[in-house]
Amino acid sequence: MIIARSRQELQAALDTKRGSIGFVPTMGALHIGHRTLIEAARRENETVVVSIFVNPTQFLPGEDLSKYPRREEADFKICELSGVDVLFYPDVAGMYETDEVRVCAPDVRGFILEGASRPGHFDGVLTVVMKLLNMVRPSRVYFGKKDAQQLALITQMVDNLFMDVKIIPMETVREKDGLALSSRNVYLDEKQRVEALKLSASLKEATKMVMQGNLDAEKIKAAMMNLLQPLDVEYVAIVNRQFESIKEVVIGNTIVLVAARVGTTRLIDNVWM
Ligand code: AMP
């Protein structure tokens, strides 16, 4: 595995490779969710590139940028063992200069749900993904459905800006008890870890209601809110794949999402139906 710490080193590494490139952008603190993306990239491409970059522009002032988990040594091992060919590990100076051109998230879809709770977050996400895609120039790029709105907005960016890359959405990987894997789960103590299960439990309840034929979005949201108590819920939402709010679940075109704080840790989860 080649570790490239600058754009020049990345370019030199890629110059030695032939064929399709599968790319998995991450912020590190790698877990099985990330590994599933890397394994899919490994199966489907000749060369696999993973980036690890805790992108400062997607954190709002007061968020967890400085304490975001960093696990350089373990992450390098995981990448090596997963068959990654090139690990791109740039520093902030190698990614940004001051007074830059940036990508702006769309006015509506970029500023609802996650974008309402974290205004500006998606501008940072789209900007860094654009930079990374331009540097790696992959055939396929892998994103988790766990970050559903991020996936939708990146898909829209690729579409709107006529970019030439295939986006591969990947299912959310969960612990046995249902908790969606997240680098932020390490912030949870034992009691909070149990409370955090309310997110996936509320989504299971939504799925159960839909399977029983209860398609009314308000009723599903009310049942979820009930189960989420006493967590500090930021939103419960039911949208279509375009992230438009819907009154009735349509199987095959619905995403149910939840964001809540467990202690000071902000968690998100969703289910696609
Ligand atoms: P992050 O390091 O949190 O920025 O995530 C990097 C990529 O891994 C994103 O595309 C995420 O959606 C994806 N990811 C994070 N958690 C999971 C999970 N539990 N299952 C599947 N993919 C995930």
Side-chain angles (χ1 to χ4, degrees), residues 24-52:
V24 182
T26 81
M27 297 207 298
L30 302 180
H31 50 65
I32 313 281
H34 298 113
R35 271 192 77 159
T36 326
L37 272 57
I38 297 171
E39 283 161 10
R42 183 68 284 165
R43 281 193 303 276
E44 296 166 4
N45 302 276
E46 269 126 307
T47 298
V48 175
V49 180
V50 169
S51 65
I52 296 179

Side-chain angles (χ1 to χ4, degrees), residues 25-28 31 33-34 37 68 142-147 150 170-173 180-183:
T26 81
M27 297 207 298
H31 50 65
H34 298 113
L37 272 57
Y68 194 84
Y142 296 78
F143 290 102
K145 289 183 175 180
K146 157 101 185 344
D147 299 284
Q150 165 177 295
M170 298 289 299
E171 295 302 323
T172 299
V173 179
L181 294 183
S182 163
S183 304

Side-chain angles (χ1 to χ4, degrees), residues 181-194:
L181 294 183
S182 163
S183 304
R184 290 192 165 97
N185 289 351
V186 298
Y187 300 148
L188 303 171
D189 65 27
E190 225 172 291
K191 192 164 155 259
Q192 292 170 335
R193 169 77 183 61
V194 175

